[in-house]
Amino acid sequence: MSSPVDIKENSEEKKETVSRNFIENIIDKDIEEGRCKKVVTRFPPEPNGYLHIGHAKSIILNSGLAKEYGGQFNLRFDDTNPTKEKSEFVDSILEDVKWICGDLDMEHVFYASDYFDMMYECAVKLIKKGKAYVCDLSADEIREYRGTLKEPGKNSPYRDRTVEENLDLFERMKNGEFEDGSKVLRAKIDMSSPNINMRDPVIYRVARMSHHRTGDKWCIYPMYDFAHPIEDTVEGVTHSICTLEFEDHRPLYDWVVNEIDMENKPRQIEFAKLYLTNVVTGKRYIKKLVEDGIVDGWDDPRLVSIAALKRRGFTPESIRMFIELSGISKAQSSSDYAMLEYCIREDLKMKRPRMMAVLDPVKLVITNYPENEIEYLDVSNNQENPEMGSRKVPFGRVLYIDREDFKIEPPRKYFRLYPGNEVRLMNAYFVTCTDYVTDEDGNVTEVHCTYDPETKSGSGFNARKVKGTIHWVCAETAEKCEIRLYENIVDEEKGVYNEDGSINVNPNSLTVLDDCYVEPALAEAEALDSFQFVRHGYFCVDSKDSTKEHMVFNRIVSLKSSYKQK
């Protein structure tokens, strides 16, 4: 662990060599002025759903800052609202954070529910200081008394209860003597404050709900704005980094920290959320997509939940690259989905083998190739990265090629296979089309060719050139599989939502191809292994539906990109 001196020296060095974002500048100043000896950050999700790409920004930012300064990163579940929280969501968040960060120190995983006793004592402390009171107003009445952005609020008729009365009522709230919603505990601050969040906010409510960790121990639960600063203080968080919607809540955050008289006083810093064009991130909208059967769960590869991106085949490295390109600032902006696709292409292109796959197969028969003979050709795994070596690919008399690689009547400037034309079979031989067979509907079922043995790839043959090269798989050894082609879940031209608020679902967001063929080597691929399929894009083995008997590949992204890096 770095000492404060080391942290300061490293910080000075970084400022000379790297453009610092505004959060780093604040931390640098806190270190220089002696307000921070060890940087502690946290990611505080509420376990009421699956995390999405926007949460990834907060995870990467908070964990990255802790690592940069040799500090500590905490994962804390803000589980103060049992109505929406489930152990399923806790488990999914743990997996997502581990995946994004590469690892997770379980000693630094915390739960707000661990501090319920302490939060209760803090509330009692506020009552004894005359800074909190039990209020009998209903939720609608509290809203009415609060006032507006232009008009001040007015005091609750219960605001001047004595300390003794408030202590008694609050304890009886805890003991379950009152109905849900009949009483709340409110902070006593200022009903005329220009900041509406400071107008005696509710800090505890009666709610008979079974908690996923504490069971039925409690029938009162703290509100987030009260619980969150206590959690940060208890854990020794130095910089509470959150999104801009909490900027107006910062005075309340500071008020709680100051009034509970804790030694540690965190600094809250806000940054702009990550907005991604033409995607669905709202939990209620995703829930409806799931319930309506449009997607097969929160991890459907058309979504941008972290689980969905992982299943689609995105990597933590690509997501970190995307967050870095999107930047950290206070200005609200949107990032193009094409930039996320650019990042995964950049991450995979030098790492993954380039394999041959035929998505819409038609047979190609080499009539002059020996029957019942299989030869094994040397094929480079990645021509741009020779260090990845090579593999042996089987070749025989009968192959599969993609249907679009043969035309009976080719259009202008079509250089692939058609009657009388010669092309190269990738990594193999030159072949010339001599005939073809069609069914009763005129669909091509077989293409007949002859091959020239002298033209074997790698032999040095250069007597003549061909303009077209097509990929293939050997019919005798190829593995049959299912391939899923994904597009955006929404129609990009019309936007995410219809006028009535419903989701504008793209009917072509998923295309399933059942009769595809891939190289036999892919039979050994495991869940989430990814590859480039020549000319088709990047694909990965589906982690949910793929089996050894029926392999399923998801297209991560096509090879072509509309994104231009700025």
Side-chain angles (χ1 to χ4, degrees), residues 266-444:
R267 178 198 287 270
Q268 179 175 304
I269 308 171
E270 305 86 17
F271 67 95
K273 273 185 175 181
L274 174 65
Y275 290 99
L276 194 56
T277 57
N278 293 313
V279 300
V280 179
T281 55
K283 290 174 183 175
R284 66 187 180 96
Y285 290 108
I286 295 176
K287 183 180 179 183
K288 181 164 177 55
L289 289 173
V290 174
E291 290 175 346
D292 291 349
I294 296 171
V295 298
D296 70 0
W298 288 77
D299 63 348
D300 187 289
R302 288 167 288 179
L303 302 174
V304 290
S305 66
I306 295 176
L309 291 169
K310 179 180 179 181
R311 182 180 168 194
R312 175 86 171 252
F314 281 83
T315 61
E317 293 83 0
S318 67
I319 294 174
R320 285 196 288 269
M321 184 191 303
F322 173 66
I323 299 302
E324 184 176 339
L325 289 176
S326 298
I328 306 296
S329 72
K330 283 242 180 190
Q332 297 282 23
S333 62
S334 294
S335 296
D336 195 335
Y337 189 85
M339 185 166 77
L340 179 59
E341 294 182 321
Y342 163 82
C343 292
I344 187 62
R345 289 190 192 94
E346 286 296 298
D347 184 53
L348 295 182
K349 69 180 181 181
M350 300 295 286
K351 295 179 180 178
R352 299 297 186 261
R354 298 176 181 180
M355 314 290 283
M356 291 188 286
V358 176
L359 275 56
D360 186 10
V362 62
K363 276 187 178 180
L364 184 147
V365 180
I366 304 174
T367 56
N368 64 333
Y369 192 88
E371 292 189 34
N372 302 319
E373 181 175 316
I374 298 291
E375 66 174 305
Y376 288 85
L377 307 175
D378 288 318
V379 177
S380 171
N381 285 324
N382 188 324
Q383 291 180 335
E384 291 185 64
N385 185 1
E387 292 183 1
M388 290 187 64
S390 63
R391 66 187 184 280
K392 296 287 187 180
V393 177
F395 180 88
R397 175 185 174 90
V398 182
L399 310 174
Y400 288 118
I401 64 171
D402 267 311
R403 188 170 297 276
E404 64 177 17
D405 287 339
F406 174 78
K407 299 286 186 186
I408 298 174
E409 296 180 359
R412 187 169 174 267
K413 294 186 176 181
Y414 182 84
F415 299 120
R416 282 168 269 176
L417 204 55
Y418 55 87
N421 191 43
E422 186 176 47
V423 300
R424 175 178 288 284
L425 294 176
M426 184 176 290
N427 303 300
Y429 301 93
F430 288 8
V431 293
T432 302
C433 178
T434 57
D435 200 1
Y436 60 90
V437 179
T438 61
D439 61 18
E440 58 186 16
D441 296 321
N443 299 310
V444 175

Side-chain angles (χ1 to χ4, degrees), residues 20 48 84-85 98-99 106-107 128 166-167 206 231 295 304 359 386 397 405 449 453 457 470 538 554 563:
R20 313 286 281 161
N48 62 356
K84 299 179 180 179
E85 297 162 358
K98 286 179 184 177
W99 184 68
M106 295 304 291
E107 290 186 2
K128 289 180 178 179
N166 284 316
L167 288 172
V206 178
E231 296 155 16
V295 298
V304 290
L359 275 56
R397 175 185 174 90
D405 287 339
C449 294
S457 182
I470 63 175
Y538 292 95
N554 299 326
Y563 174 72

